[in-house]
Amino acid sequence: MYNFLPVAYFKNQFAQFVDAQVSIATHALHYGTGAFGGLRGIPNPQDATQILLFRLDRHCQRLSQSAKLLHYDLPATKIESVIIDFVKKNQPNKSFYIRPFIYTSDLGISPRLHNVEKDFAIYGIELGDYLSPEGVSCRISSWQRQADASFPLRGKISGAYITSSLAKTEAVESGFDEAILMNSQGKVSEASGMNIFIVRNGKIFTPGFDQDILEGITRDSILIIANDLGIEVVERPIDKSELLIADEVFLSGTAAKISPVNRIENYKLSQQRPITEKLREKLTAITENREPKYKDWVFPISIA
Ligand code: PMP
């Protein structure tokens, strides 16, 4: 199904991906007690001896914070240095996605985070487009995004993805590509694995951190880029009906990049989406290191 990168990181060392295996009794498999990251890398289009990772520092920081929520002390500097070695060992020659994660690796029962062995591991896959760049159709999910009072939403915690999975499957099985989840206040929160933006009268709106969203790194990049392009961005709650009458809607995520939305339920969106396209072009140029102003966001790794 996927082309996995040949080398993985597992139990404090590099191993062949095929040999990095866990037991069926693994604690995290039963309790969802893991947390993960996801970042993209590409061979530098201007220099084949270099790999470019987008916002490596922010991804490592978020995974370190997610680990902290699960009572695991994993400094961002440690994650960063292992990812760099991981890339050097794999020498990928196509666009790829790195999945660094932590999980309760103990063999034993009883849900808990104390007195339980944990592990930090990494694998990678080759990854082109995750969603169609032409645009996607979205169903408004019957499943609600969790609330921070019952789930640590500031982390990218494995167990949260049961809701994403239910929402995505519900959407796909009823003929849509993606799901948009409302939060417990009935406001727009995010998609199954992406943040969401709407455009109205030339301004961009996106739900803020008080709307039970994941702290998306692509989202953060878009806020900065839009501001630099002189496009006003406002973080505030968004109603369902406002979503349905927006001029443009797009989703953002590491895997999805910037994905335009064509249709929500039976409400069609215009194929004219100047702001989405402007942001998408800029983000692509930045990830390919063609925008000197944003070179700090692009981490080069020499694989020569
Ligand atoms: N929300 C959820 C639930 C996600 O899984 C993701 C993907 N990590 C995002 C938003 C977007 O985050 P990012 O831009 O950091 O990939």
Side-chain angles (χ1 to χ4, degrees):
M1 184 177 164
Y2 290 114
N3 286 331
F4 292 97
L5 301 188
V7 178
Y9 183 76
F10 182 60
K11 298 200 185 296
N12 292 318
Q13 58 187 1
F14 289 98
Q16 289 301 300
F17 171 78
V18 289
D19 297 328
Q21 308 267 352
V22 297
S23 159
I24 56 171
T26 302
H27 189 265
L29 211 51
H30 302 267
Y31 300 116
T33 38
F36 63 98
L39 58 155
R40 272 191 184 264
I42 52 167
N44 185 345
Q46 288 90 39
D47 177 356
T49 67
Q50 244 185 21
I51 293 293
L52 306 174
L53 297 184
F54 186 62
R55 302 201 71 179
L56 175 64
D57 52 345
R58 282 286 291 120
H59 281 281
C60 296
Q61 183 191 37
R62 186 172 67 189
L63 181 57
S64 174
Q65 288 168 349
S66 301
K68 181 175 182 180
L69 287 166
L70 298 186
H71 297 231
Y72 185 29
D73 180 23
L74 182 65
T77 46
K78 159 88 180 173
I79 303 170
E80 191 167 316
S81 77
V82 179
I83 288 180
I84 293 167
D85 288 345
F86 171 85
V87 170
K88 288 188 172 181
K89 288 196 186 292
N90 277 295
Q91 307 224 330
N93 57 12
K94 291 199 175 92
S95 164
F96 63 102
Y97 179 85
I98 308 176
R99 173 54 64 83
F101 65 105
I102 64 123
Y103 64 107
T104 51
S105 52
D106 226 79
L107 309 187
I109 56 169
S110 108
R112 65 187 191 283
L113 293 165
H114 64 282
N115 293 342
V116 59
E117 194 182 289
K118 301 177 182 89
D119 188 30
F120 163 47
I122 311 183
Y123 71 91
I125 54 172
E126 288 177 1
L127 188 67
D129 288 327
Y130 177 77
L131 292 178
S132 164
E134 320 291 276
V136 293
S137 60
C138 293
R139 173 176 173 160
I140 295 182
S141 187
S142 70
W143 295 98
Q144 239 172 38
R145 173 76 174 158
Q146 304 96 327
D148 196 79
S150 56
F151 201 94
L153 294 180
R154 293 299 167 93
K156 198 166 155 52
I157 310 293
S158 307
Y161 286 82
I162 185 65
T163 311
S164 294
S165 304
L166 287 164
K168 175 87 179 189
T169 292
E170 177 186 63
V172 170
E173 287 187 342
S174 49
F176 296 85
D177 302 312
E178 245 311 313
I180 296 173
L181 289 90
M182 302 289 155
N183 62 23
S184 52
Q185 267 77 55
K187 305 286 182 188
V188 174
S189 184
E190 57 179 20
S192 70
M194 305 108 211
N195 293 109
I196 188 164
F197 291 79
I198 68 169
V199 178
R200 297 192 70 194
N201 300 322
K203 280 192 205 165
I204 302 178
F205 301 92
T206 193
F209 286 159
D210 57 353
Q211 298 300 301
D212 298 326
I213 62 168
L214 181 78
E215 295 190 358
I217 294 165
T218 320
R219 175 187 180 279
D220 177 72
S221 309
I222 291 167
L223 293 181
I224 296 167
I225 296 167
N227 201 46
D228 290 351
L229 288 171
I231 307 167
E232 195 178 332
V233 197
V234 183
E235 295 174 78
R236 63 149 171 80
I238 296 173
D239 290 325
K240 174 175 159 183
S241 63
E242 194 180 16
L243 180 69
L244 300 176
I245 58 168
D247 303 326
E248 302 175 41
V249 177
F250 63 88
L251 308 176
S252 76
T254 296
K257 304 178 182 171
I258 290 180
S259 296
V261 175
N262 286 334
R263 180 164 65 94
I264 301 171
E265 301 278 336
N266 290 328
Y267 296 82
K268 284 215 172 82
L269 280 132
S270 165
Q271 296 291 308
Q272 305 298 314
R273 32 197 186 216
I275 292 194
T276 308
E277 294 307 339
K278 207 169 171 179
L279 290 168
R280 184 148 71 160
E281 246 171 59
K282 195 77 169 176
L283 185 64
T284 305
I286 294 171
T287 55
E288 293 178 0
N289 214 7
R290 289 188 275 115
E291 292 278 343
K293 181 172 177 190
Y294 300 91
K295 68 173 177 14
D296 291 353
W297 284 0
V298 186
F299 190 93
I301 299 174
S302 172
I303 53 164

